[in-house]
Amino acid sequence: MREKILYMFFALLVAGLVGCAEEESGEVIVLPRTLSPFALYPNDLANNDSASAHVVEGLQLVVHPKVTYTLSFEKDPNIEEAPILQLFRLGDMVDDGHVSTRHVRSLEPKLDNGRYVYEFLCEELDRNVWVTSLVQDGDFYKGTTRKARLMADGPYSDTLSLNLIVVGKVDFQEEGMAVDTFARQLLDGFRKYYTSITIDTLYVRYAHEHPTLGSKFPANEPWLAGRSSDDYFVTELGGWPEPALKYALDIVLVHRIELDWVLGYSLMYGGSLLGGTGSTVVIGTHNKTNTGEMGVTTASMISTAVHETGHFFGLRHTTATQADFEVDMDYSNYEDGFTDTPYCRDLLASGLLKTQKVKPVADYARLPILRGRFAAKPAFDVSDCPDARNMMFPAVDDEGMDGFTEQQLEHIRKNLRVYPH
Ligand SMILES: [Zn+2]
């Protein structure tokens, strides 16, 4: 299963789209050819060559209510006339594996600095997926659409609360560490690193006390995410049913995640503070290894929670992992696109992150890199990477992380304002 918000539509990749072909206005509606798996995330600055190539025949855009978006790409120098952008909302599956669609908008671009720019306000009531087609003379546009970008400007606040949900029996590596002490340190960690937004309150709730699901989560058993229940994200705990916690980000604390060397995970651009898919960030007190398990320091757990929350806001790794490439199906996204985060050419070349053999479910997982683990490659040490201490480096450095850069912090603030809360 692909670890991004679009995976709910994964089964429909080859599905056809159905809808009416002509509006009453006489405008010819050109349905996306198929539902392609390519998507653009809001405010993402990575190269996205594959997504760019699919604007014409069907690119997915995750959109939120009341947010203003601009989709833009480079004008094809060989074609003077500008194409019309048609946007479709995905509906329900109908018969024969077809998905119904509804035409929501047709837009003409502005030309700005050699780029076509299409601006629209999303008037949906919930998070939704819209699909594009680009039309000229009643057919698909024949020109190129290079360097596509989706920028988003939302009306929501830049304040965030957190809800630490303790699942089952947890034992911290540090003897005598209580949940409340850990929670205070976690809050301090978020306030230390998330300086572009306000981290308001951190709540602590226990899964066994959940008003409707409590009996599923026994207090005295260690929870193994992905084994105790199939859902690695423990999604059903997202969106805790208490008014004060309604918009808090749910950080789920379990004994361990049932994947080797995975410290934590979240969906890339999770996009929901209201429960449901993509609403949880998962961390463990222990790390599954190929021979058993080992305890994780609280410092590493906190750094992992901060890192995974970065993915929740749509931040990429500073240097892509093999799993990242596979999720995007795009080798042009080898780094995050920010000019103030370096990336590690040697890490890409080394294949080190490839040797982790992480299952697809851990696409945006965080891996601890043990220096002794790759004895066959003594010439390379990940701590030599120029981005090794950036919070979005794919491996955790136990000597500490420097945090986020200015551009990463600005991205976090922008995307928090896109998520309804
Ligand atoms: Zn990561």
Side-chain angles (χ1 to χ4, degrees):
M1 192 174 280
R2 292 148 42 85
E3 285 296 90
K4 53 186 179 182
I5 190 68
L6 302 166
Y7 80 90
M8 50 186 144
F9 300 107
F10 189 58
L12 310 179
L13 295 186
V14 292
L17 298 167
V18 294
C20 56
E22 191 161 340
E23 296 271 291
E24 280 175 17
S25 64
E27 180 190 3
V28 178
I29 301 300
V30 180
L31 289 173
R33 196 178 290 280
T34 57
L35 192 48
S36 90
F38 296 101
L40 280 180
Y41 300 117
N43 302 313
D44 182 16
L45 300 176
N47 285 322
N48 283 304
D49 286 357
S50 297
S52 299
H54 286 79
V55 181
V56 175
E57 297 192 359
L59 176 70
Q60 297 193 37
L61 311 174
V62 182
V63 292
H64 285 90
K66 299 194 179 85
V67 175
T68 301
Y69 294 91
T70 57
L71 176 67
S72 66
F73 51 84
E74 287 182 354
K75 176 181 180 291
D76 185 331
N78 299 313
I79 300 183
E80 259 331 290
E81 197 190 333
I84 303 292
L85 174 68
Q86 295 186 346
L87 292 168
F88 300 86
R89 176 195 189 170
L90 289 184
D92 298 325
M93 190 77 139
V94 294
D95 57 352
D96 301 336
H98 284 72
V99 183
S100 70
T101 57
R102 185 169 62 82
H103 173 231
V104 288
R105 212 68 62 83
S106 287
L107 299 165
E108 289 180 23
K110 280 184 285 199
L111 186 59
D112 181 16
N113 232 341
R115 294 175 69 84
Y116 284 132
V117 181
Y118 301 82
E119 184 175 320
F120 56 96
L121 172 68
C122 172
E123 286 155 347
E124 300 280 0
L125 297 175
D126 294 306
R127 176 177 59 174
N128 234 287
V129 176
W130 285 4
V131 186
T132 63
S133 74
L134 270 188
V135 180
Q136 197 160 60
D137 303 328
D139 201 353
F140 287 118
Y141 178 57
K142 305 287 189 301
T144 55
T145 54
R146 295 203 172 95
K147 297 204 167 22
R149 290 237 192 290
L150 180 69
M151 304 312 278
D153 187 11
Y156 304 103
S157 86
D158 53 12
T159 295
L160 178 70
S161 287
L162 307 171
N163 182 26
L164 178 67
I165 303 175
V166 182
V167 187
K169 182 174 186 293
V170 294
D171 291 301
F172 294 95
Q173 194 193 41
E174 289 83 353
E175 197 129 344
M177 167 76 78
V179 167
D180 286 351
T181 311
F182 174 73
R184 262 198 306 279
Q185 292 180 10
L186 184 66
L187 179 59
D188 289 346
F190 269 78
R191 286 183 174 155
K192 176 179 175 188
Y193 292 112
Y194 281 92
T195 53
S196 58
I197 61 176
T198 302
I199 303 294
D200 187 352
T201 307
L202 185 143
Y203 301 92
V204 180
R205 291 293 180 272
Y206 292 84
H208 68 269
E209 293 174 356
H210 191 284
T212 55
L213 303 167
S215 62
K216 286 184 162 182
F217 299 96
N220 53 359
E221 284 173 32
W223 190 267
L224 312 180
R227 196 205 292 188
S228 298
S229 78
D230 287 343
D231 179 12
Y232 284 87
F233 293 93
V234 210
T235 307
E236 59 188 340
L237 289 174
W240 195 271
E242 249 179 84
L245 283 67
K246 187 172 177 194
Y247 298 113
L249 171 63
D250 295 305
I251 298 176
V252 176
L253 173 61
V254 297
H255 176 76
R256 76 179 193 212
I257 293 161
E258 214 47 17
L259 290 165
D260 290 359
W261 307 110
V262 171
L263 290 168
Y265 53 61
S266 64
L267 277 185
M268 176 70 171
Y269 187 65
S272 173
L273 291 168
L274 289 163
T277 305
S279 67
T280 56
V281 165
V282 185
I283 56 171
T285 55
H286 288 70
N287 196 196
K288 184 176 183 300
T289 67
N290 42 358
T291 54
E293 65 174 26
M294 54 192 247
V296 180
T297 64
T298 52
S300 181
M301 288 169 65
I302 289 164
S303 147
T304 297
V306 169
H307 170 100
E308 295 303 328
T309 301
H311 288 317
F312 172 82
F313 285 120
L315 285 181
R316 292 174 177 276
H317 288 139
T318 47
T319 304
T321 65
Q322 187 62 24
D324 294 344
F325 287 132
E326 286 167 10
V327 167
D328 281 348
M329 291 177 282
D330 190 337
Y331 281 84
S332 75
N333 292 344
Y334 55 88
E335 55 102 22
D336 58 16
F338 296 124
T339 54
D340 64 356
T341 59
Y343 72 98
C344 189
R345 201 178 292 271
D346 292 345
L347 182 61
L348 289 167
S350 72
L352 274 188
L353 293 175
K354 198 172 179 173
T355 62
Q356 297 271 5
K357 289 201 176 67
V358 175
K359 292 181 209 164
V361 73
D363 287 330
Y364 283 95
R366 193 168 206 214
L367 312 167
I369 299 255
L370 303 181
R371 285 173 202 170
R373 188 163 148 81
F374 301 103
K377 297 184 172 70
F380 181 66
D381 182 339
V382 291
S383 64
D384 292 338
C385 284
D387 49 342
R389 291 170 67 97
N390 184 284
M391 192 52 82
M392 296 315 292
F393 189 65
V396 65
D397 189 328
D398 274 338
E399 284 159 34
M401 307 302 273
D402 294 338
F404 299 113
T405 64
E406 289 288 317
Q407 289 175 29
Q408 287 173 321
L409 285 167
E410 177 60 10
H411 179 100
I412 290 161
R413 194 185 67 82
K414 272 193 206 157
N415 277 4
L416 174 57
R417 295 190 47 139
V418 164
Y419 295 173
H421 66 281

